[in-house]
Amino acid sequence: MPSGLVALLDDVAGIAKIAAASVDDIGAAAGKAGTKAVGVVVDDAAVTPGYAMGFTPDRELPIVAKIAVGSLRNKLLFLLPGALLLSAFAPWAVTPILMLGGAYLAFEATEKIIEMFVPHGDEVETEDLALSGPELEKQKVAGAIRTDLILSAEIMAIALADVSGMSLPIQAAALALVGVVITILVYGVVALIVKMDDIGLHMAKSPRAPTQKFGRGLVKAMPVVMSSLAYIGTAAMLWVGGGIIVHGLHHFHLTPIPAWVEGAQHWAGQVPAIGPVTGWLAMAIGSAVVGLVVGGVIAGVLHFIPRKKAAH
């Protein structure tokens, strides 16, 4: 009997070691995959606050919560099974799908740049005014979740590319972990951003002069922060979208564009002391230029076709 108990305990210890190793594998895979997706995460965090702005303070956090739930649903119910099916049956399709997503991000960024020079926001504002509060909120949340679906698809596809050589259970667990952690991170930051002005107003009422001053500074800074986030989001879209396209071209041995970007990165990386920073900047700028060109071509085609039909 004692020997049987010892054997059982030994088996349990062995199973525990295997489970621990699997957890380590999942953590390492998720960390590697999440790091590669950081550019899209920055874009997601920069884009989303705009959907919660313009509502009463009591509705801001519920709106962010609804978008976060929709984001989790996108990742875990739709994108995760789709990514695993791709990994199992069509791994060759991951890179082309990534490139299509990159082209979409580049197009969205280019459209934002075009709107800066040819604004048509009055039409959108008129449509918004025609909606009641709940209807407008529902529309904004739906729009945010649609945008999140594209960005989440990019995150999951980038993550999948990094864990594709692992077993299917490890892939599933790593992708689920990446999806949950990134969603909590992004929407935690978004919630903080949209409530920053309320936090500032609360601090401005403090009896302590330094706290009052800091609170007033937060309130004054928020318009600048929101404006900066819009520019950062657009730049991130171009950089990430263009970078994905460049990586795809390199994967399919389609030169010389990847060679040009890599050459610029190598040249800029030789600057003494700050080589890693300048090298990264050169790569980011090169990728953004590629994204701008691709996005411009797509935008041009999409704007040209309706005009051509109207002319007929």
Short mmCIF file of all heavy atoms in Angstrom, two decimals, residues 15-71:
data_model
loop_
_atom_site.label_atom_id
_atom_site.label_comp_id
_atom_site.label_asym_id
_atom_site.label_seq_id
_atom_site.Cartn_x
_atom_site.Cartn_y
_atom_site.Cartn_z
N ILE A 15 3.02 14.73 -13.48
CA ILE A 15 1.98 15.50 -14.19
C ILE A 15 2.11 16.98 -13.87
O ILE A 15 1.97 17.85 -14.75
CB ILE A 15 0.58 14.98 -13.79
CG1 ILE A 15 0.38 13.56 -14.31
CG2 ILE A 15 -0.50 15.91 -14.33
CD1 ILE A 15 -0.86 12.87 -13.76
N ALA A 16 2.42 17.30 -12.61
CA ALA A 16 2.59 18.70 -12.21
C ALA A 16 3.75 19.35 -12.95
O ALA A 16 3.67 20.51 -13.37
CB ALA A 16 2.81 18.79 -10.70
N LYS A 17 4.85 18.57 -13.12
CA LYS A 17 6.00 19.11 -13.85
C LYS A 17 5.64 19.40 -15.31
O LYS A 17 6.02 20.42 -15.88
CB LYS A 17 7.17 18.14 -13.78
CG LYS A 17 7.84 18.07 -12.42
CD LYS A 17 8.99 17.07 -12.44
CE LYS A 17 9.66 16.99 -11.06
NZ LYS A 17 10.75 15.97 -11.05
N ILE A 18 4.89 18.47 -15.92
CA ILE A 18 4.47 18.66 -17.32
C ILE A 18 3.57 19.89 -17.43
O ILE A 18 3.71 20.72 -18.34
CB ILE A 18 3.74 17.41 -17.83
CG1 ILE A 18 4.72 16.23 -17.91
CG2 ILE A 18 3.11 17.67 -19.19
CD1 ILE A 18 4.03 14.90 -18.20
N ALA A 19 2.63 20.00 -16.46
CA ALA A 19 1.72 21.16 -16.47
C ALA A 19 2.49 22.46 -16.30
O ALA A 19 2.21 23.46 -16.98
CB ALA A 19 0.68 21.02 -15.36
N ALA A 20 3.47 22.46 -15.40
CA ALA A 20 4.28 23.66 -15.17
C ALA A 20 5.06 24.03 -16.42
O ALA A 20 5.16 25.21 -16.79
CB ALA A 20 5.23 23.43 -14.01
N ALA A 21 5.61 22.99 -17.08
CA ALA A 21 6.35 23.25 -18.33
C ALA A 21 5.43 23.83 -19.39
O ALA A 21 5.80 24.75 -20.13
CB ALA A 21 6.99 21.97 -18.83
N SER A 22 4.18 23.31 -19.46
CA SER A 22 3.21 23.82 -20.43
C SER A 22 2.87 25.28 -20.14
O SER A 22 2.76 26.10 -21.04
CB SER A 22 1.94 22.97 -20.40
OG SER A 22 2.22 21.65 -20.80
N VAL A 23 2.69 25.59 -18.84
CA VAL A 23 2.41 26.98 -18.45
C VAL A 23 3.56 27.88 -18.84
O VAL A 23 3.36 29.00 -19.35
CB VAL A 23 2.13 27.06 -16.93
CG1 VAL A 23 2.07 28.52 -16.48
CG2 VAL A 23 0.83 26.36 -16.59
N ASP A 24 4.80 27.42 -18.61
CA ASP A 24 5.98 28.20 -19.01
C ASP A 24 5.99 28.42 -20.52
O ASP A 24 6.28 29.51 -21.00
CB ASP A 24 7.26 27.49 -18.58
CG ASP A 24 7.47 27.55 -17.07
OD1 ASP A 24 6.83 28.41 -16.42
OD2 ASP A 24 8.26 26.74 -16.55
N ASP A 25 5.67 27.35 -21.28
CA ASP A 25 5.63 27.46 -22.74
C ASP A 25 4.57 28.46 -23.18
O ASP A 25 4.81 29.28 -24.08
CB ASP A 25 5.33 26.09 -23.37
CG ASP A 25 6.50 25.12 -23.25
OD1 ASP A 25 7.63 25.61 -22.98
OD2 ASP A 25 6.28 23.91 -23.39
N ILE A 26 3.41 28.38 -22.54
CA ILE A 26 2.32 29.30 -22.89
C ILE A 26 2.73 30.74 -22.57
O ILE A 26 2.52 31.65 -23.39
CB ILE A 26 1.04 28.93 -22.12
CG1 ILE A 26 0.50 27.58 -22.63
CG2 ILE A 26 -0.02 30.02 -22.27
CD1 ILE A 26 -0.57 26.99 -21.74
N GLY A 27 3.31 30.96 -21.39
CA GLY A 27 3.74 32.31 -21.00
C GLY A 27 4.80 32.86 -21.94
O GLY A 27 4.73 34.02 -22.36
N ALA A 28 5.79 32.01 -22.29
CA ALA A 28 6.85 32.46 -23.20
C ALA A 28 6.29 32.76 -24.58
O ALA A 28 6.63 33.78 -25.20
CB ALA A 28 7.93 31.38 -23.29
N ALA A 29 5.41 31.88 -25.06
CA ALA A 29 4.82 32.08 -26.39
C ALA A 29 3.96 33.34 -26.41
O ALA A 29 4.01 34.14 -27.36
CB ALA A 29 3.97 30.87 -26.78
N ALA A 30 3.16 33.53 -25.36
CA ALA A 30 2.30 34.71 -25.30
C ALA A 30 3.13 35.99 -25.21
O ALA A 30 2.80 37.00 -25.85
CB ALA A 30 1.36 34.61 -24.09
N GLY A 31 4.21 35.95 -24.42
CA GLY A 31 5.08 37.13 -24.31
C GLY A 31 5.72 37.50 -25.63
O GLY A 31 5.73 38.66 -26.03
N LYS A 32 6.22 36.50 -26.34
CA LYS A 32 6.85 36.74 -27.64
C LYS A 32 5.84 37.27 -28.64
O LYS A 32 6.09 38.23 -29.36
CB LYS A 32 7.46 35.44 -28.16
CG LYS A 32 8.16 35.56 -29.50
CD LYS A 32 8.69 34.20 -29.97
CE LYS A 32 9.34 34.32 -31.34
NZ LYS A 32 9.78 33.00 -31.85
N ALA A 33 4.66 36.64 -28.68
CA ALA A 33 3.63 37.05 -29.63
C ALA A 33 3.10 38.44 -29.30
O ALA A 33 2.88 39.27 -30.18
CB ALA A 33 2.49 36.04 -29.62
N GLY A 34 2.89 38.73 -28.01
CA GLY A 34 2.37 40.04 -27.61
C GLY A 34 3.32 41.17 -27.92
O GLY A 34 2.91 42.27 -28.29
N THR A 35 4.63 40.91 -27.78
CA THR A 35 5.63 41.94 -28.07
C THR A 35 5.57 42.35 -29.53
O THR A 35 5.65 43.54 -29.86
CB THR A 35 7.04 41.40 -27.75
OG1 THR A 35 7.08 41.04 -26.37
CG2 THR A 35 8.09 42.47 -28.01
N LYS A 36 5.40 41.39 -30.43
CA LYS A 36 5.34 41.71 -31.85
C LYS A 36 4.11 42.53 -32.21
O LYS A 36 4.10 43.26 -33.18
CB LYS A 36 5.33 40.40 -32.67
CG LYS A 36 6.63 39.64 -32.64
CD LYS A 36 7.72 40.33 -33.46
CE LYS A 36 8.98 39.50 -33.53
NZ LYS A 36 8.84 38.30 -34.35
N ALA A 37 3.05 42.39 -31.42
CA ALA A 37 1.79 43.07 -31.72
C ALA A 37 1.68 44.45 -31.08
O ALA A 37 0.65 45.09 -31.17
CB ALA A 37 0.61 42.21 -31.26
N VAL A 38 2.78 44.93 -30.46
CA VAL A 38 2.71 46.16 -29.68
C VAL A 38 2.31 47.36 -30.52
O VAL A 38 1.61 48.26 -30.05
CB VAL A 38 4.06 46.42 -28.95
CG1 VAL A 38 5.16 46.75 -29.95
CG2 VAL A 38 3.92 47.53 -27.93
N GLY A 39 2.72 47.40 -31.80
CA GLY A 39 2.36 48.53 -32.65
C GLY A 39 0.87 48.66 -32.84
O GLY A 39 0.30 49.76 -32.79
N VAL A 40 0.20 47.52 -33.06
CA VAL A 40 -1.25 47.55 -33.23
C VAL A 40 -1.92 47.92 -31.91
O VAL A 40 -2.96 48.58 -31.89
CB VAL A 40 -1.76 46.18 -33.73
CG1 VAL A 40 -3.23 46.26 -34.08
CG2 VAL A 40 -0.97 45.73 -34.96
N VAL A 41 -1.33 47.48 -30.79
CA VAL A 41 -1.88 47.82 -29.47
C VAL A 41 -1.85 49.33 -29.24
O VAL A 41 -2.82 49.92 -28.76
CB VAL A 41 -1.09 47.10 -28.35
CG1 VAL A 41 -1.53 47.58 -26.98
CG2 VAL A 41 -1.27 45.59 -28.46
N VAL A 42 -0.74 49.97 -29.61
CA VAL A 42 -0.62 51.42 -29.50
C VAL A 42 -1.72 52.09 -30.32
O VAL A 42 -2.39 53.03 -29.88
CB VAL A 42 0.77 51.89 -29.97
CG1 VAL A 42 0.81 53.42 -30.09
CG2 VAL A 42 1.84 51.43 -29.00
N ASP A 43 -1.92 51.58 -31.54
CA ASP A 43 -2.94 52.15 -32.41
C ASP A 43 -4.32 51.98 -31.79
O ASP A 43 -5.13 52.91 -31.78
CB ASP A 43 -2.87 51.44 -33.77
CG ASP A 43 -3.90 51.97 -34.73
OD1 ASP A 43 -4.10 53.19 -34.75
OD2 ASP A 43 -4.53 51.17 -35.44
N ASP A 44 -4.60 50.78 -31.26
CA ASP A 44 -5.90 50.51 -30.65
C ASP A 44 -6.15 51.45 -29.48
O ASP A 44 -7.24 52.03 -29.33
CB ASP A 44 -5.92 49.05 -30.16
CG ASP A 44 -7.33 48.48 -30.12
OD1 ASP A 44 -8.28 49.24 -30.36
OD2 ASP A 44 -7.48 47.28 -29.85
N ALA A 45 -5.14 51.63 -28.62
CA ALA A 45 -5.28 52.51 -27.45
C ALA A 45 -5.43 53.96 -27.86
O ALA A 45 -6.07 54.76 -27.16
CB ALA A 45 -4.08 52.35 -26.53
N ALA A 46 -4.85 54.35 -29.00
CA ALA A 46 -4.93 55.74 -29.45
C ALA A 46 -6.25 56.03 -30.14
O ALA A 46 -6.79 57.14 -30.04
CB ALA A 46 -3.77 56.04 -30.40
N VAL A 47 -6.81 55.04 -30.84
CA VAL A 47 -8.03 55.26 -31.62
C VAL A 47 -9.28 55.23 -30.76
O VAL A 47 -10.19 56.04 -30.92
CB VAL A 47 -8.13 54.19 -32.75
CG1 VAL A 47 -9.51 54.23 -33.40
CG2 VAL A 47 -7.05 54.43 -33.79
N THR A 48 -9.36 54.28 -29.82
CA THR A 48 -10.61 53.99 -29.10
C THR A 48 -11.15 55.14 -28.26
O THR A 48 -12.38 55.31 -28.20
CB THR A 48 -10.43 52.74 -28.23
OG1 THR A 48 -9.93 51.67 -29.05
CG2 THR A 48 -11.73 52.31 -27.60
N PRO A 49 -10.32 55.95 -27.54
CA PRO A 49 -10.92 57.00 -26.70
C PRO A 49 -11.87 57.93 -27.43
O PRO A 49 -12.82 58.44 -26.82
CB PRO A 49 -9.69 57.76 -26.18
CG PRO A 49 -8.59 56.75 -26.18
CD PRO A 49 -8.85 55.91 -27.39
N GLY A 50 -11.64 58.16 -28.71
CA GLY A 50 -12.51 59.05 -29.46
C GLY A 50 -13.96 58.60 -29.51
O GLY A 50 -14.88 59.41 -29.61
N TYR A 51 -14.19 57.30 -29.40
CA TYR A 51 -15.55 56.78 -29.45
C TYR A 51 -16.33 57.06 -28.17
O TYR A 51 -17.57 57.03 -28.18
CB TYR A 51 -15.53 55.25 -29.70
CG TYR A 51 -15.10 54.88 -31.10
CD1 TYR A 51 -13.80 54.48 -31.37
CD2 TYR A 51 -16.00 54.91 -32.15
CE1 TYR A 51 -13.40 54.13 -32.65
CE2 TYR A 51 -15.62 54.56 -33.44
CZ TYR A 51 -14.32 54.17 -33.67
OH TYR A 51 -13.93 53.83 -34.95
N ALA A 52 -15.63 57.28 -27.07
CA ALA A 52 -16.30 57.52 -25.79
C ALA A 52 -16.42 59.00 -25.45
O ALA A 52 -17.04 59.36 -24.44
CB ALA A 52 -15.56 56.80 -24.67
N MET A 53 -15.81 59.85 -26.27
CA MET A 53 -15.85 61.28 -26.00
C MET A 53 -17.16 61.89 -26.53
O MET A 53 -17.75 61.38 -27.48
CB MET A 53 -14.64 61.98 -26.65
CG MET A 53 -13.30 61.41 -26.21
SD MET A 53 -13.03 61.40 -24.43
CE MET A 53 -12.80 63.16 -24.15
N GLY A 54 -17.58 62.98 -25.90
CA GLY A 54 -18.79 63.67 -26.33
C GLY A 54 -20.04 63.21 -25.61
O GLY A 54 -21.14 63.72 -25.87
N PHE A 55 -19.91 62.23 -24.72
CA PHE A 55 -21.04 61.76 -23.93
C PHE A 55 -20.95 62.33 -22.51
O PHE A 55 -19.90 62.83 -22.10
CB PHE A 55 -21.07 60.23 -23.90
CG PHE A 55 -21.38 59.60 -25.23
CD1 PHE A 55 -20.36 59.23 -26.09
CD2 PHE A 55 -22.69 59.38 -25.62
CE1 PHE A 55 -20.63 58.66 -27.32
CE2 PHE A 55 -22.98 58.80 -26.85
CZ PHE A 55 -21.95 58.45 -27.70
N THR A 56 -22.02 62.22 -21.76
CA THR A 56 -21.99 62.68 -20.37
C THR A 56 -21.02 61.80 -19.57
O THR A 56 -20.83 60.63 -19.89
CB THR A 56 -23.39 62.61 -19.73
OG1 THR A 56 -23.88 61.26 -19.85
CG2 THR A 56 -24.34 63.55 -20.44
N PRO A 57 -20.40 62.36 -18.53
CA PRO A 57 -19.38 61.61 -17.78
C PRO A 57 -19.87 60.27 -17.25
O PRO A 57 -19.09 59.30 -17.20
CB PRO A 57 -19.02 62.56 -16.63
CG PRO A 57 -19.31 63.93 -17.18
CD PRO A 57 -20.50 63.76 -18.07
N ASP A 58 -21.16 60.18 -16.89
CA ASP A 58 -21.65 58.92 -16.33
C ASP A 58 -21.77 57.81 -17.37
O ASP A 58 -21.92 56.63 -17.03
CB ASP A 58 -23.02 59.14 -15.66
CG ASP A 58 -24.08 59.58 -16.67
OD1 ASP A 58 -23.87 60.61 -17.34
OD2 ASP A 58 -25.11 58.89 -16.78
N ARG A 59 -21.69 58.16 -18.68
CA ARG A 59 -21.79 57.15 -19.73
C ARG A 59 -20.44 56.74 -20.30
O ARG A 59 -20.35 55.76 -21.05
CB ARG A 59 -22.66 57.68 -20.89
CG ARG A 59 -24.11 57.91 -20.57
CD ARG A 59 -24.76 56.68 -19.94
NE ARG A 59 -24.58 55.48 -20.74
CZ ARG A 59 -24.65 54.25 -20.26
NH1 ARG A 59 -24.84 54.05 -18.96
NH2 ARG A 59 -24.50 53.21 -21.05
N GLU A 60 -19.38 57.47 -19.96
CA GLU A 60 -18.07 57.19 -20.58
C GLU A 60 -17.54 55.81 -20.22
O GLU A 60 -17.19 55.02 -21.11
CB GLU A 60 -17.07 58.28 -20.17
CG GLU A 60 -17.35 59.62 -20.82
CD GLU A 60 -16.43 60.73 -20.31
OE1 GLU A 60 -15.79 60.53 -19.26
OE2 GLU A 60 -16.38 61.79 -20.96
N LEU A 61 -17.48 55.47 -18.94
CA LEU A 61 -16.96 54.16 -18.54
C LEU A 61 -17.86 53.01 -19.00
O LEU A 61 -17.34 51.98 -19.45
CB LEU A 61 -16.75 54.11 -17.03
CG LEU A 61 -15.57 54.93 -16.49
CD1 LEU A 61 -15.44 54.73 -14.97
CD2 LEU A 61 -14.27 54.55 -17.19
N PRO A 62 -19.20 53.13 -18.92
CA PRO A 62 -20.04 52.05 -19.47
C PRO A 62 -19.80 51.83 -20.96
O PRO A 62 -19.84 50.69 -21.43
CB PRO A 62 -21.47 52.55 -19.21
CG PRO A 62 -21.34 53.39 -17.99
CD PRO A 62 -20.02 54.09 -18.14
N ILE A 63 -19.55 52.91 -21.71
CA ILE A 63 -19.27 52.76 -23.14
C ILE A 63 -17.96 52.03 -23.36
O ILE A 63 -17.86 51.10 -24.18
CB ILE A 63 -19.25 54.15 -23.83
CG1 ILE A 63 -20.67 54.69 -23.93
CG2 ILE A 63 -18.63 54.06 -25.22
CD1 ILE A 63 -20.75 56.13 -24.39
N VAL A 64 -16.93 52.42 -22.60
CA VAL A 64 -15.64 51.72 -22.69
C VAL A 64 -15.80 50.25 -22.33
O VAL A 64 -15.22 49.37 -22.99
CB VAL A 64 -14.59 52.39 -21.78
CG1 VAL A 64 -13.30 51.57 -21.75
CG2 VAL A 64 -14.29 53.81 -22.26
N ALA A 65 -16.60 49.97 -21.30
CA ALA A 65 -16.83 48.58 -20.88
C ALA A 65 -17.51 47.78 -21.98
O ALA A 65 -17.16 46.62 -22.25
CB ALA A 65 -17.66 48.54 -19.60
N LYS A 66 -18.51 48.39 -22.65
CA LYS A 66 -19.20 47.70 -23.74
C LYS A 66 -18.24 47.38 -24.90
O LYS A 66 -18.29 46.30 -25.48
CB LYS A 66 -20.36 48.56 -24.27
CG LYS A 66 -21.56 48.64 -23.34
CD LYS A 66 -22.64 49.51 -23.96
CE LYS A 66 -23.85 49.63 -23.04
NZ LYS A 66 -24.91 50.48 -23.65
N ILE A 67 -17.38 48.34 -25.20
CA ILE A 67 -16.41 48.12 -26.28
C ILE A 67 -15.41 47.04 -25.89
O ILE A 67 -15.04 46.18 -26.71
CB ILE A 67 -15.67 49.43 -26.63
CG1 ILE A 67 -16.66 50.50 -27.11
CG2 ILE A 67 -14.62 49.19 -27.71
CD1 ILE A 67 -16.06 51.88 -27.26
N ALA A 68 -14.99 47.03 -24.62
CA ALA A 68 -14.05 46.02 -24.14
C ALA A 68 -14.66 44.62 -24.22
O ALA A 68 -14.00 43.67 -24.65
CB ALA A 68 -13.62 46.33 -22.71
N VAL A 69 -15.93 44.49 -23.83
CA VAL A 69 -16.62 43.20 -23.92
C VAL A 69 -16.71 42.76 -25.39
O VAL A 69 -16.48 41.59 -25.73
CB VAL A 69 -18.02 43.27 -23.28
CG1 VAL A 69 -18.82 42.02 -23.58
CG2 VAL A 69 -17.90 43.47 -21.78
N GLY A 70 -17.05 43.71 -26.26
CA GLY A 70 -17.11 43.40 -27.69
C GLY A 70 -15.76 42.98 -28.23
O GLY A 70 -15.65 42.08 -29.07
N SER A 71 -14.69 43.63 -27.73
CA SER A 71 -13.33 43.27 -28.15
C SER A 71 -12.98 41.85 -27.73
O SER A 71 -12.40 41.08 -28.50
CB SER A 71 -12.32 44.26 -27.56
OG SER A 71 -11.00 43.90 -27.89
#
